[in-house]
Amino acid sequence: MRSISLALLICLLVGVTRAHAEKTLNIGVLAFRDKAQTIQKWQPLANYLDLTLPRYRFALKPYTYKELEDAIERRQVDFVLTHAAHFVQINAMISLSSPLATVIERESDRPMPVYAGTIIVRADRNDIAQLADLKGKTVATSSIQGFASYQMQAYELFKIGLSIPDDVKVIEVELPIDRSVDTVLEGKADAAFARMGLPEQMMREGKLAPNSVKVLNAQKLAGFDWAFSTTLYPLWPFAAMTQVDDELAAQVAAALLMLPHDGEVARASNIWGFTIPANYQPVKEVMQALHISPFDQVPEFSWRDVWHRYRLMISFALLAVAIILLLLVWLALSRRKLRESEERLSTLIESAPDAIILANAKGLITGWNKGAQHLFGYAMDEILGLPLTQLMPRRYLAGHLAGMERIQSGEQPRLLGQSLEMEALRKDGSEFSFEMVMGSWVTSSGRHFSAIIRDISERKRISQELEAHRHNLEQLVSQRTAELEQAKNTAEAANRAKTVFLANMSHELRTPLNAILGFAQIMQGDKLIPENLRANIAIINRSGNHLLALINDVLEISRIEAGRTTVSKDIFDLSATLQAVREMIRAQAVGKGLALVVDIPDQLPRFVLGDDPHLRQVLINLLVNAVKYTEHGEVQLVVDLQPGQIIGFRVNDTGPGIAPDDQERIFQAFYQTEIGIAKGEGTGLGLTISREFIRLMGGELTVHSTLGQGSSFCFALPLPQANQTSSTVGTEYTAGDQVMGLAPGQPSPRILLVEDNPDNQHVAEQLLTQIGCEVCVAAKGQVAVQLFQSRRPHLILIDMGMAEMDGSQVSRQIRSLPDASDVPIVALAASAFQENRVQVIAAGCNEILSKPIEAQCLYRMIGRLLGLRYEYAGAGAAKIERKIDDLGNLPIELRQEICDVATMLDDASMLAIIERLRTDFPDEADMIAELVKDFRFDKIATLCCVSSD
Ligand code: ADP
């Protein structure tokens, strides 16, 4: 069937081509050994082709490698028949068309479609069991150009990482190919590279003893006994040159493929036949891997090829390159920055006025700026590399070297960052003081040190100078302080002397005044003294009191100036105080024909916490002034409640007013306005004292005034409400009923009066006996102590200013006696200084009574201390209660008559009128009598006129 179809095909081909002229086609065949042999082998195939394609004559051209290549290059052949490796080689150099068919070899009457290489070693070489064992060994091959006899095996070694000739040595032996096996058997090589089947063939031919050799990496092909060591590769290709047209190539390919396998022609050529073209790529890979020509040259390729093949790798590579470029740019920028910063730093270091020195771990100088050059006198090239000790006075050397040793032994530098003051050595040998800050850092080259050094010689000199100046200054200051201290002590001594002087003066002045006022009071209370004389006595009384007020003011102002005025905070009855003040002023106001209006809110707390005596004094001062300087109209005392337990006080009058310029000056000590001076009364101290008292109590005294319209003095004080149910304080001040004597049914109190001044003795004694007391008098302290023991008095009055033994001592002595602890002792003090009061209380006294003694105060104090009951001038009190401010109740005719009599200063007629008035108008009679007593006929006339308006 097969031969019929072949015959048909041949007929067809002959038929088709008959008409064409015969054309010779050359088949270039590689002649392995002998060219004649080659022709002999392949001629049957050529004949077959001639027969099959009668239009062509196929001429066999046996060539050596070189000849075949040249022929191909010159296009002297149309078809090529060579072994696989050579075909790949030629194809790489000159493009051939794809193989038309591949030879199937014939081996022992069997088709052999592929071939491979063997690696043969002697069977007794136990040290070579696998391919890797060939490392360092020698192999024999008939030719390194042979594909099956060398390249296949070399590629196998290449795949396991053994390269020739680095790892495996090769010796080329001459043909015939059996030589390679012989070389191994002779022991000249460790292994032989040969084509598959050679050992078996040699054994068959009796050239090789069985089992004398073994094949490494042995593999077998089904149906064959041969062992091989490499990958299987395709056999010889039959290829067409590119100039052969496709149709012809197809005809030849068809003829080859149609060649009967194991047919006559095949047998004649000692092949099995042809098959479809095999894949020669593995052969190419072998050659490429082994860099066999032409693959030892870098193949020409386009970027596109490269991109196509290595896209991913190129992308990665490009990315890597981009990253590297970026890194390089970054590195370059960093280096530039670093360079710039280094330049900046070095400029900074160079331009620094201080010396900057760098040194290494051995203490050798490695850096030196201009400042250092200037300071030490060494140029940079002179000093670099020299030890730091070059710059130190000898005394520092030991310490420095010890420190360096410590640091070298791994200890941390101790003085880093600290400011050190030392001396350094200049080049010229002179020393200078410097201040240094040291730094240190460690790099791969070891530890480094830096020192910033500043010359402080000048600073030291200046600081020494300053120190000297400071010392001088200190001396000066302490000298001045001492002088000032002395001046202060002198001033204080002077002040003390002034105070003592004033206290003494006060005592000296009050002592006679005590007698004067005392007797005046006694006489005024004496019923035996006629009325007209009593009026004179009243004048003595008033003048004496005025003098006393003067003395008190002067004392007060000196106390303020000495800073000794203090305010107390006691509970007192504010309404009682206001009542007393009102009573005190009322007579004066009435006497001048002025209306006195006291406006007190209903909610005013009765008991408050504050300084009653000072408040009282201020109010009296202001009201007395208001009455004193006001001729018409009224005087007002307005009290109001303000938030925060503050109580406001305002004294208004309708007097002359105070010029704006004077409104501040009137508070200066001794300042009086023209009106004040014209009055001829007063001292100009009242307002000064008042303002000071108010400040001490927490307020401020201000004045509002309009000339010709009146003045208003205001202040407000914190006077917190106090819980007190009955008034026990300040009773002595309360102007009330006059004590006339002891109420009946009480034993006479026995009073011991201790007073060395005979006049004052008399005054006090008489005042006491006048109300029924029994008095024993002692002029000396000792006598007083004795009298106390013998007479056991109920109460003791002691003058504090006695010459021999003073009142405090007497009080102490008496208090030290048995049963003397309860007896009340009242101190009679001419000096009213506050500190005296403290001393007096400390000496054991219960109370202090200021001299000159005010009779009613004395009586009330005794009464309170001994629990006495008195008889009062009841009728007088009633009269006082009913007192009136004007004469408006009197009939107009009567007022006219009084006015006339007053204008004529006719006191006899006035007294007659008073007597007439007693029955119907007793208050008015009293009021006019009071005014007559003071010779205030002018006021009487004014009041009559005012009332008649
Ligand atoms: P004096 O003892 O003179 O009254 P003061 O210090 O109390 O001293 O008063 C100082 C001066 O202020 C007085 O001399 C008087 O000129 C003036 N002055 C005080 N109060 C009034 C007043 N209510 N009306 C007019 N002038 C007054």
Side-chain angles (χ1 to χ4, degrees), residues 890-891 894 898 912-925 928:
L890 295 181
L894 204 51
I898 294 168
I913 293 171
I914 290 166
E915 285 315 311
R916 267 199 281 145
L917 288 173
R918 286 244 174 255
T919 334
D920 296 333
F921 302 102
D923 292 344
E924 283 77 0
I928 297 168

Side-chain angles (χ1 to χ4, degrees), residues 511-533:
T511 305
L513 202 56
N514 190 38
I516 297 165
L517 284 173
F519 282 118
Q521 286 177 76
I522 294 162
M523 286 157 74
Q524 211 165 13
D526 194 342
K527 302 278 185 316
L528 299 173
I529 292 175
E531 190 68 27
N532 55 343
L533 285 182

